[in-house]
Amino acid sequence: MVVRVGIVGASGYTGAELVRLLRRHPEVELVRLTARTHAGKSLPEVFPQFWGLEEQELVAAEPEELVREVDVIFTALPAGESIPYARAAWRAGKKLIDLGADFRFREASVYERWYKLNHGAPELLTQAVYGLPELYRERIKGASLVANPGCYPTAALLALLPPLLAGQILAEGIVVDAKSGVSGAGRQPRVDALYAEANENVQAYGVGCHRHAPEMEQVVQEQLGREVKLTFVPHLVPQTRGILATIYAPLASGVGTEKLLATYRDFYREHSLVKVLPAGVYPRTKSVWGSNLVHIGAVADERTGKAVLLAAIDNLVKGASGQAVQNFNLICGFPEILGLEEAGVYP
């Protein structure tokens, strides 16, 4: 069964990754690639890696027009801009996977407080499924509207939840320290992402006010059944791709490194894209570059009574477009990892 796909926002980094992954997917026909600022250009004029491979023209397409042409829509747009496409898809009975933030929160008031925007379609929030397959695989299978998780929450939640749910770490005093390459800022020009600003520089940003903090807390609270507050500190590092999340949490009594790792192996035994590393081996962003894999490591620091939990992902793949394809496979009834089996590119 070939599925007709449209990508809205194909001229951004996550849009380009969607094209890269979906053009080799055996069950996909890329019907429409849309872009606002680059409409009328061919895809290779915007992303030269596609010369001779994918010559499709980027177009401007209204939501009602797009839903008539495709079966599934991917929206890779800034906050607030996916809502008209989601409305049109819902009315037409089509499926939509949103790589932005518009449908990640259960309550419109939370979204509006953190994103400083009126939501515009609060009735659709009850229909949206949070697209983290390692937690919500069965819900995603029956969904028509999937909210792809943020890149930082993907890494942090996959490292944090198994030992937290197993009672091996305590929920109070958890610190999520995460570092991301500059592609996480998107393709629009920003001063802090300029080469001269980012090169040879590591800096924290959004401390105490980053929009991914309430997203993480929402999932943790849903899983744990009670309110949890996290300290989240993101950093920008001088590399193109990758996220390394390091989580510090109070360790429960009698829990050692091997117990932590055994918990991860059991939790992810049916999720082949999550790789739990042996004791003494720690995740590296370079190892997952270009892949949809997650590398997880852990240490029980018994001297300080703290667990150190680590996860590495490619922010543009598992943190965005690759996970969106994973969700696409689930909602369409395909094998979950179809088109996503490749290892990372190294070195």
Side-chain angles (χ1 to χ4, degrees):
M1 178 186 76
V2 175
V3 179
R4 298 172 301 158
V5 167
I7 299 173
V8 183
S11 62
Y13 289 142
T14 55
E17 280 293 279
L18 282 169
V19 174
R20 181 177 74 88
L21 295 169
L22 290 171
R23 64 175 299 275
R24 65 188 186 190
H25 193 293
E27 303 295 341
V28 166
E29 179 187 359
L30 283 174
V31 171
R32 188 68 68 213
L33 305 179
T34 86
R36 205 170 35 207
T37 55
H38 295 286
K41 295 181 180 179
S42 71
L43 184 65
E45 287 180 276
V46 180
F47 289 109
Q49 69 267 35
F50 293 115
W51 281 114
L53 297 173
E54 190 68 48
E55 302 287 347
Q56 191 171 149
E57 181 180 318
L58 299 171
V59 300
E62 293 300 317
E64 299 295 343
E65 175 189 356
L66 186 62
V67 297
R68 289 195 294 269
E69 299 177 330
V70 303
D71 305 307
V72 177
I73 299 170
F74 291 84
T75 46
L77 297 169
E81 296 186 18
S82 296
I83 289 170
Y85 293 92
R87 280 188 179 280
W90 188 260
R91 287 194 295 264
K94 303 296 177 70
K95 297 179 185 292
L96 184 141
I97 299 166
D98 181 27
L99 280 73
D102 289 346
F103 299 98
R104 291 175 185 162
F105 293 100
R106 302 279 181 262
E107 298 178 10
S109 60
V110 178
Y111 171 90
E112 291 169 353
R113 183 165 68 249
W114 285 86
Y115 284 83
K116 312 302 181 189
L117 296 168
N118 290 325
H119 189 274
E123 72 280 4
L124 291 182
L125 294 177
T126 59
Q127 308 301 324
V129 174
Y130 192 72
L132 192 60
E134 290 77 12
L135 289 182
Y136 301 113
R137 176 188 277 166
E138 295 307 313
R139 291 189 199 176
I140 295 166
K141 286 180 181 179
S144 293
L145 175 57
V146 177
N148 220 55
C151 52
Y152 281 127
T154 295
L157 291 168
L158 292 176
L160 175 61
L161 282 170
L164 184 59
L165 295 176
Q168 294 178 327
I169 58 174
L170 308 183
E172 291 71 33
I174 295 173
V175 176
V176 178
D177 179 308
K179 298 168 179 65
S180 174
V182 294
S183 62
R187 206 181 190 203
Q188 291 298 317
R190 282 179 41 171
V191 170
D192 60 354
L194 294 173
Y195 179 82
E197 304 283 341
N199 186 47
E200 300 181 312
N201 182 49
V202 177
Q203 67 182 67
Y205 67 99
V207 180
C209 60
H210 197 283
R211 296 163 170 176
H212 284 173
E215 182 182 337
M216 296 180 209
E217 290 174 350
Q218 174 180 262
V219 176
V220 172
Q221 290 167 14
E222 179 179 283
Q223 292 290 310
L224 208 59
R226 63 185 180 90
E227 186 177 36
V228 176
K229 296 297 183 185
L230 307 173
T231 298
F232 173 48
V233 184
H235 300 77
L236 190 68
V237 297
Q239 63 187 58
T240 303
R241 291 172 179 255
I243 283 178
L244 179 67
T246 305
I247 299 167
Y248 308 96
L251 194 61
S253 177
V255 177
T257 297
E258 285 301 334
K259 284 188 177 180
L260 288 172
L261 294 173
T263 294
Y264 283 119
R265 286 191 289 267
D266 182 61
F267 194 93
Y268 294 121
R269 65 185 181 277
E270 295 181 359
H271 297 277
S272 61
L273 295 173
V274 180
K275 308 299 182 183
V276 182
L277 304 182
V281 179
Y282 309 121
R284 304 186 297 175
T285 58
K286 189 73 171 176
S287 299
V288 295
W289 195 97
S291 81
N292 203 52
L293 298 174
V294 184
H295 282 191
I296 287 183
V299 173
D301 186 348
E302 297 178 36
R303 183 182 66 85
T304 62
K306 293 288 186 0
V308 182
L309 316 172
L310 306 106
I313 64 171
D314 185 318
N315 59 295
L316 294 179
V317 190
K318 180 59 176 174
S321 303
Q323 186 152 239
V325 174
Q326 208 175 337
N327 287 319
F328 167 83
N329 286 334
L330 287 170
I331 66 175
C332 292
F334 302 134
E336 184 177 332
I337 64 171
L338 185 63
L340 299 169
E341 302 93 336
E342 294 297 324
V345 178
Y346 194 95

